[in-house]
Amino acid sequence: MRVVAFSGSPNMENGNTALILRPFLDGLIDGGAAVELFHTRKLDIQPCQGDFNCWRKIPGHCFQQDDMQMVHTKLRASDVWVMATPVYVWGVAGPLKNLMDRLMPLIEPFITLRDGHCSHPLRAGTPAAKLVLVSSCGFWEMDNFDPLLLQMRTLARTVGLDFAGALLRPHAPAFRMMLEANAPVRDVLDAAHAAGQQLATTGAISPETLHAISRPVVPMDEFRHFFNEQFRQELDHLDKDMVHA
Ligand SMILES: Cc1cc2nc3c(=O)[nH]c(=O)nc-3n(C[C@H](O)[C@H](O)[C@H](O)COP(=O)(O)O)c2cc1C
């Protein structure tokens, strides 16, 4: 199994998204998959120019010469596409969205019906891969992933990718702090690792494993009070520093 992963987290390996992405990719490797990870922050990916030249003038190609040519090659050669992103304004972080917009050359302009719904199939030469979403968000509730999840599921359905699941970590900054404080939350990392191993060895991730990755690690009221207090203290310090400056 060949896996290509793209992370749109500007914090790359040090981010909250990477807390889940890293063990997931390690699990895939331990399960025998060949894995490549790219950070959009290190790639040159210009926004789509919206001219449809990749459908009308040079079918299957984009006239913009940047890292998307390499991305297309990697995607065409992979069995699993992993899209990793922090939730930004309830959606995909901008640089990863640019990459997703530039997938247009990989799909046909012709509209076919899939389950009675209009869709654009993948072009010949882009095998139907599995799509996995990995994401983290700041707020406590799982419904903060709803718009992002809907977007990824719709993308998969429309072009004929097999949506293999979403590894979602809510209240991720709190999760990070608890990890650093050695609170008993490492089971979440173990679940992310298990998700990778399951995907590599069975082709699927169990709902129980996905559930374990997203489990609440702190009650909502505690989460809210803790962060409000932390910000209050931080901003008080800032005010004092400014008075002394
Ligand atoms: C510009 C911006 C927008 C954000 N929007 C949301 C949001 O809509 N909902 C949410 O729950 N968290 C939101 N967050 C919080 C991040 O999703 C969260 O901190 C995430 O874990 C960061 O991941 P990273 O460390 O990999 O960058 C936002 C953060 C930033 C910087």
Side-chain angles (χ1 to χ4, degrees):
M1 178 183 276
R2 283 155 304 175
V3 180
V4 64
F6 296 97
S7 172
S9 168
N11 294 302
M12 299 194 284
E13 298 287 357
N14 299 321
N16 298 331
T17 309
L19 289 176
I20 301 301
L21 179 62
R22 193 65 262 166
F24 174 58
L25 298 183
D26 287 345
L28 279 160
I29 293 165
D30 291 345
V35 175
E36 279 189 285
L37 167 63
F38 297 91
H39 295 283
T40 54
R41 188 169 182 164
K42 292 187 180 169
L43 299 177
D44 172 22
I45 299 178
Q46 297 301 310
C48 173
Q49 298 300 307
D51 50 29
F52 288 99
N53 280 346
C54 61
W55 281 5
R56 291 202 158 97
K57 301 254 166 67
I58 40 170
H61 301 278
C62 179
F63 76 93
Q64 299 195 76
Q65 294 300 311
D66 57 15
D67 285 329
M68 270 316 284
Q69 280 73 31
M70 176 278 289
V71 171
H72 285 159
T73 304
K74 296 288 177 191
L75 289 170
R76 285 194 183 105
S78 298
D79 308 296
V80 178
W81 302 1
V82 179
M83 298 289 168
T85 180
V87 172
Y88 271 13
V89 196
W90 291 277
V92 181
L96 188 67
K97 182 60 169 48
N98 280 346
L99 184 153
M100 289 168 59
D101 292 347
R102 299 275 304 279
L103 297 180
M104 293 285 275
L106 298 185
I107 62 180
E108 292 277 4
F110 301 104
I111 299 168
T112 57
L113 281 186
R114 195 186 302 278
D115 300 329
H117 206 286
C118 288
S119 68
H120 288 299
L122 292 166
R123 280 181 194 278
T126 305
K130 291 181 189 296
L131 177 66
V132 177
L133 167 66
V134 176
S135 185
S136 72
C137 80
F139 278 137
W140 192 86
E141 303 92 337
M142 281 296 284
D143 63 10
N144 290 287
F145 293 108
D146 285 355
L148 171 64
L149 198 49
L150 183 62
Q151 183 177 35
M152 290 293 181
R153 282 186 186 283
T154 308
L155 165 67
R157 185 192 67 199
T158 303
V159 304
L161 297 165
D162 172 18
F163 191 74
L167 284 69
L168 306 175
R169 186 54 250 166
H171 45 282
F175 173 63
R176 167 179 289 282
M177 293 182 78
M178 294 178 78
L179 263 181
E180 288 169 357
N182 279 323
V185 294
R186 295 196 72 84
D187 57 290
V188 170
L189 305 184
D190 295 341
H193 184 276
Q197 223 163 6
Q198 287 170 19
L199 185 61
T201 55
T202 71
I205 308 170
S206 80
E208 293 76 24
T209 302
L210 295 177
H211 197 71
I213 294 165
S214 302
R215 81 167 175 86
V217 293
V218 60
M220 186 168 65
D221 280 347
E222 216 174 288
F223 156 84
R224 207 163 51 81
H225 291 308
F226 177 81
F227 276 100
N228 286 346
E229 186 51 33
Q230 209 192 29
F231 270 115
R232 206 164 285 133
Q233 285 181 17
E234 239 179 88
L235 296 177
D236 280 353
H237 273 295
L238 208 62
D239 284 346
K240 285 191 192 110
D241 290 349
M242 282 170 78
V243 167
H244 292 301

